[in-house]
Amino acid sequence: WHEGRDFDHYRDVAPRFCSEFGFQSYPSMNAIRRFAAPEDHNIAAPVFEAHQKNAGGNARIAETMFRYFRWPKHFDGFVYLSQVQQGLAIKTAVTHWRSLKPHCMGTLIWQLNDTWPVCSWASLDHGGDWKLLHHMAKAFFAPVLVTAVPQDGQVQLRAINDDPTPCEVTVDAFAVGMNGATRALGNATQQIGADASTLMSLSANDLRTDEMLYFTWTTTSGQSGNDIFAPKPYKNYDLLPPQLSHDINDNQITITAKTLALFVAVEADVAGRYDQNAFTLLPGEQKTVTFTPVDPDATATFVLRDLHSATYA
């Protein structure tokens, strides 16, 4: 964070235990509305300098965003994208260090929460709303995880098992285009002890210039997951409109997409919790997000966000 380096530089470090690291983002729009009027919804407005106590912090968020993403069209898109990149920064660090197990046996993220509504390293807003990092951490800190590790022109798919007993892990790897079409790249199954192990290696040449790596995994212990790895900065991909559609049943939002949809997020205009957020959708997939408002009598208005709508619309 303080050096303003690429996220890939986390992979230059191999600690035995990393006890403090972090990356800043803006608080959610609900928190921002508590201290900034609509006319101040601008990243250079004095009110946001006042709510940033790390010198140059807001500029560092913007500089990093320009490095990885096309520039967001609107202020609320900037807020959303700042939380996406915070999640990506910490995910890069945590998944890499977990993949070094047993050399590295632990990570502690700075920081959990805020004492006031502020741009910060926290994963929880002032008042308790979850930033996207907190949702992403549920996935990248899962007891059993498969993660993509770029190394020497290859991408290794490494499995990490933090459960006390071995389990069999099966991974399926695909190339995915911007229209969401996939083509199989291979699969592997391996018994993983309480350690980390490489399941399969892919060449960088296995992906075309307009493709990302998408992979899914299952275990004999009943755990499963999926992830996507972009070998280039996201700004280098010509994303297509995902044409998200949704149905609302009380506080359950069921979402589908027609093309590849990245970092799909649900926002509500009232305080509350989501059971999941910041996920990938392929065409025809369906994801149901449950929202629990703090006030059970509150009626929420929902907004859907994704990487395309934040940077192209």
Side-chain angles (χ1 to χ4, degrees):
W1 164 257
H2 292 290
E3 295 176 341
R5 304 178 77 185
D6 290 347
F7 299 159
D8 284 343
H9 284 293
Y10 280 121
R11 299 188 176 101
D12 295 340
V13 183
R16 300 307 298 260
F17 185 97
C18 194
S19 62
E20 184 178 324
F21 60 101
F23 196 91
Q24 279 198 351
S25 73
Y26 275 51
S28 69
M29 288 302 301
N30 283 344
I32 286 171
R33 292 185 191 103
R34 290 162 47 201
F35 68 82
E39 59 268 24
D40 291 321
H41 289 183
N42 185 297
I43 63 173
V47 67
F48 285 101
E49 293 295 332
H51 285 253
Q52 166 64 269
K53 294 308 179 185
N54 180 234
N58 291 341
R60 195 168 294 117
I61 291 171
E63 176 191 3
T64 305
M65 192 178 294
F66 188 76
R67 189 180 303 156
Y68 288 102
F69 302 102
R70 301 189 189 193
W71 195 251
K73 299 288 187 179
H74 305 286
F75 176 76
D76 53 0
F78 178 91
V79 170
Y80 154 83
L81 200 54
S82 78
Q83 294 192 12
V84 168
Q85 79 172 6
Q86 178 191 38
L88 282 174
I90 304 308
K91 175 186 176 183
T92 301
V94 170
T95 55
H96 171 65
W97 292 331
R98 289 190 67 190
S99 78
L100 300 179
K101 188 182 180 183
H103 176 84
C104 180
M105 291 294 288
T107 55
L108 283 176
I109 297 170
W110 181 265
Q111 67 194 72
L112 179 64
N113 57 359
D114 286 322
T115 58
W116 68 308
V118 62
C119 305
S120 80
W121 299 268
S123 63
L124 298 178
D125 278 340
H126 182 258
D129 280 351
W130 289 25
K131 292 184 181 180
L132 296 184
L133 167 60
H134 214 72
H135 289 282
M136 294 168 74
K138 287 174 62 178
F140 62 66
F141 269 125
V144 179
L145 176 74
V146 176
T147 186
V149 179
Q151 188 172 17
D152 300 328
Q154 292 189 323
V155 179
Q156 296 182 358
L157 293 180
R158 292 182 62 83
I160 304 105
N161 182 13
D162 279 345
D163 281 339
T165 56
C167 68
E168 189 176 88
V169 180
T170 298
V171 64
D172 291 277
F174 305 88
V176 59
M178 298 302 97
N179 63 356
T182 61
R183 57 185 182 88
L185 297 178
N187 59 76
T189 299
Q190 189 173 321
Q191 187 86 356
I192 306 295
D195 215 332
S197 180
T198 300
L199 296 174
M200 61 187 300
S201 294
L202 300 166
S203 168
N205 297 326
D206 290 336
L207 296 176
R208 299 166 186 154
T209 57
D210 62 342
E211 291 179 329
M212 299 179 185
L213 174 63
Y214 178 76
F215 52 99
T216 64
W217 67 91
T218 57
T219 76
T220 49
S221 59
Q223 300 182 63
S224 63
N226 63 75
D227 202 357
I228 197 160
F229 172 76
K232 300 179 296 184
Y234 288 93
K235 67 181 181 180
N236 291 346
Y237 294 92
D238 292 324
L239 302 179
L240 298 175
Q243 302 178 61
L244 296 178
S245 59
H246 66 282
D247 293 313
I248 299 175
N249 182 11
D250 291 331
N251 284 319
Q252 286 192 323
I253 307 96
T254 300
I255 308 166
T256 57
K258 292 188 177 180
T259 66
L260 176 66
L262 300 174
F263 307 109
V264 178
V266 182
E267 291 181 12
D269 60 351
V270 299
R273 300 281 174 84
Y274 310 88
D275 66 338
Q276 56 186 321
N277 230 340
F279 45 82
T280 298
L281 275 179
L282 297 183
E285 279 190 326
Q286 193 175 82
K287 186 82 73 172
T288 298
V289 176
T290 299
F291 175 70
T292 304
V294 172
D295 178 359
D297 295 325
T299 300
T301 298
F302 297 104
V303 174
L304 296 183
R305 302 196 190 279
D306 67 89
L307 187 55
H308 181 276
S309 68
T311 54
Y312 288 73

